[in-house]
Structures are given as structure tokens and as C-alpha cells.
Amino acid sequence: MLLVAVGRMPFTQGLGLEGTKIKVEKGFIQVDEYQQTAEKGVLCDRRCVPTPLLAHLASKEGIVAVEHFAGKNPRPINLRLVPNCTYVIRKLLLLV
């Protein structure tokens, strides 16, 4: 069996971030625990932040970001407590 795990690359080049306070590290936009960038009022989409690509995490990040932006007091996400998994596609060969 062979497991091939491919990563992702951030899409931040050419966005015009040079004239802002937004910090980019290794191509990823740096955000706080509420998805807020260093530029006040600018939240970052998860396609360019360095968090795991998990649907349940993406959903929670969006909820926390919007609640914080709306002035509520959401509890930040602790990335060490996010359930993770590895998906394996297995191909079966039947010999007749």
C-alpha cells in the first residue's frame, strides 16, 4: 500500500497586500484566534491561512470570525483540540 499526502499552497501573491498591515509568512496570511488580520476590519478566508484543511474546522472558524466581527464574545479555537484524520482510498483488484 502507498499513502500519498499532498499539501496545499496559499494563494496570496498579487493580492496587493504590500500597502497594508497584513503580515504574510511563508505565503500564508497571519491571523489571530478570530481570523482577524493585522489590518483592522479585515478577516481572512481559510484558503490562505495555515490551518488544517478540515470542513468542520472551516465551519467553526467562520462562525468564530463572524461572531467576533459582530461584537459577540466567541471562544477562540484551540487548534490542538481539533479532531483530525487521514483518508485512504483503497483499490481492490479481483483476480479471476
Side-chain angles (χ1 to χ4, degrees):
M1 285 192 183
L2 172 69
L3 171 64
V4 178
V6 295
R8 64 179 172 142
M9 296 185 62
F11 181 71
T12 54
Q13 288 185 344
L15 294 179
L17 302 177
E18 298 79 22
T20 70
K21 296 177 184 176
I22 296 173
K23 296 178 181 129
V24 180
E25 186 176 310
K26 296 182 181 177
F28 289 103
I29 294 175
Q30 300 303 302
V31 294
D32 66 10
E33 62 272 17
Y34 302 108
Q35 302 303 109
Q36 174 75 47
T37 66
E39 189 73 42
K40 185 169 174 52
V42 178
L43 303 173
C44 189
D45 184 88
R46 67 175 281 94
R47 288 173 284 193
C48 44
V49 297
T51 56
L53 282 173
L54 300 168
H56 56 283
L57 177 58
S59 177
K60 183 63 176 174
E61 285 173 339
I63 291 168
V64 169
V66 170
E67 285 182 353
H68 179 71
F69 193 74
K72 296 187 178 189
N73 192 21
R75 192 163 81 196
I77 299 169
N78 183 342
L79 292 175
R80 293 185 352 209
L81 301 178
V82 175
N84 206 336
C85 60
T86 300
Y87 294 97
V88 178
I89 299 173
R90 195 168 175 190
K91 184 177 181 180
L92 297 175
L93 296 176
L94 298 175
L95 299 176
V96 180

